[in-house]
Amino acid sequence: MRAKDAYEEFQRSIKDWRQTQPTSDDGTMVQPSPTDIINMWTTAVGGPKKGRTYGTGVLQSSSSPSLFSSSSSTLQTMEEIEAMKKQIVELTQQCAAYDAKFAKFEELVKKHMPQVFHDEEDSEFDAN
C-alpha cells in the first residue's frame, strides 16, 4: 500500500467517524480519542504486519496509547491542522490572484515592448 493511499483511507475513516458523532455541548466537533485514531490508522494500513503497524514509527504495536499524549493535545493539534489548512487555501488563492495579475502584466509588456521578449528568446538560443 502506498503512503498516499493509506493517508487518504485514514482521512476517509476520520470523516466517516465524524459523521456518526454529535457535536459537543458548546457546539464544537467532538474529536476522536487517541485509541480511535490508532484503530482507524491501523485499519487504513491493513493492520499490523510482523507485529508492526506501518506509519507508527518506533511504536511496536498498534495498541500503544503513547502515540498521542492526551485528548486535549489531540484537539489542539487538530485545531492547528485546520488553521493551517485554512491558511493554505488562503495563500493558494492569493498566489492564483498574483499569477493572474502577472499574466496580465506580461501581456501588456509583450504588446508594448515586444523586443524584450525577442531579446529573451535570442539569449536562450545563444545559451544552448
Side-chain angles (χ1 to χ4, degrees):
M1 172 178 275
R2 294 179 42 214
K4 182 180 176 185
D5 296 335
Y7 175 78
E8 289 171 354
E9 179 61 30
F10 177 65
Q11 291 299 314
R12 274 192 294 276
S13 296
I14 290 175
K15 184 179 176 184
D16 293 345
W17 182 89
R18 284 189 175 145
Q19 290 176 351
T20 65
Q21 302 302 310
T23 55
S24 65
D25 294 336
D26 63 356
T28 59
M29 191 181 316
V30 175
Q31 298 297 321
S33 70
T35 303
D36 289 333
I37 291 172
I38 292 169
N39 290 338
M40 285 185 269
W41 177 256
T42 302
T43 301
V45 298
K49 309 252 185 322
K50 297 183 181 180
R52 296 180 184 212
T53 302
Y54 171 78
T56 57
V58 298
L59 299 176
Q60 292 301 311
S61 75
S62 62
S63 61
S64 173
S66 63
L67 181 60
F68 298 100
S69 58
S70 72
S71 295
S72 63
S73 69
T74 303
L75 176 60
Q76 180 182 359
T77 302
M78 298 298 272
E79 289 171 349
E80 290 170 349
I81 289 170
E82 291 304 317
M84 286 188 275
K85 285 180 181 179
K86 183 178 178 184
Q87 187 175 22
I88 288 169
V89 168
E90 291 170 359
L91 292 172
T92 301
Q93 290 171 346
Q94 284 179 356
C95 286
Y98 288 132
D99 286 346
K101 286 180 182 180
F102 181 77
K104 287 179 183 178
F105 176 74
E106 189 176 45
E107 287 302 315
L108 184 67
V109 172
K110 280 183 183 178
K111 181 179 179 182
H112 296 287
M113 299 174 60
Q115 72 278 8
V116 171
F117 287 92
H118 292 298
D119 292 344
E120 198 174 279
E121 291 171 1
D122 292 341
S123 64
E124 285 178 20
F125 289 121
D126 293 340
N128 292 331

